[in-house]
């Protein structure tokens, strides 16, 4: 589903953060070769990032690649639903009440998921 200007507030993407696993050079290069096609690297955090805006064929293939790299190379993959980043021009997922609650909970720094806010 593509984004329209009116739907930005009710949309989200699945953000993947991938931390590569330490490895000898050939295995290290294999990790990079697999991730380079689907994610961008942030040298400051030493983390790869990718967004998934639809669970279509491309989105499922990206997830499969992320989990294959994790299984084979031991990378750490974190998936987090986030509000649509300003730079994102791809498809987006629509936010229902459950996803909205999760996004609001994650947006409050210092509070663990499932913990109620302090009054």
């Amino acid at each position: 589903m593509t984004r329209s200007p009116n739907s930005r507030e009710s949309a989200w993407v699945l953000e993947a953060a991938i931390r590569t696993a330490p490895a000898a050079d050939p295995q290290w290069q294999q990790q990079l070769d697999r991730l380079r096609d689907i994610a961008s690297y942030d040298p400051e955090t030493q983390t790869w990032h990718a967004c998934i805006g639809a669970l279509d064929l491309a989105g499922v293939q990206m997830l499969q690649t992320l989990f294959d790299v994790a299984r084979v190379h031991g990378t750490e993959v974190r998936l987090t639903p986030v509000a649509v980043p300003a730079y994102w021009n791809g498809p987006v997922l629509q936010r229902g009440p459950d996803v909205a609650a999760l996004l609001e909970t994650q947006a409050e720094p210092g509070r663990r998921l499932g913990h109620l806010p302090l009054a």
Side-chain angles (χ1 to χ4, degrees), residues 10 13 21-23 28 34 52-53 60 63 66 69 72 88 92 106-107 109:
S10 65
V13 295
W28 175 255
R34 295 288 305 272
I52 299 170
V60 170
L63 283 173
L66 292 173
V69 172
V72 171
W88 182 251
V92 297
Q106 290 181 341

Side-chain angles (χ1 to χ4, degrees), residues 105-106 108-117:
T105 300
Q106 290 181 341
E108 189 175 325
R111 182 163 58 127
R112 294 190 340 211
L113 189 60
H115 286 218
L116 297 174

Side-chain angles (χ1 to χ4, degrees), residues 2 12 15 23 33 39 47 53 64 74 82 87 100 102 105-106 117:
T2 56
W12 60 284
E15 181 183 65
D33 290 344
T47 305
Q64 187 63 54
V82 297
Y87 64 83
L102 179 62
T105 300
Q106 290 181 341

Side-chain angles (χ1 to χ4, degrees), residues 1 7 12 14 17 24 27 33 41 50 56 59 63 74 76-77 80-83 91 95 109-110 112 114:
M1 157 182 321
S7 66
W12 60 284
L14 191 58
Q27 292 82 15
D33 290 344
Y41 186 69
D56 56 4
L63 283 173
E76 176 186 326
V77 178
T80 308
V82 297
R95 180 172 21 177
R112 294 190 340 211

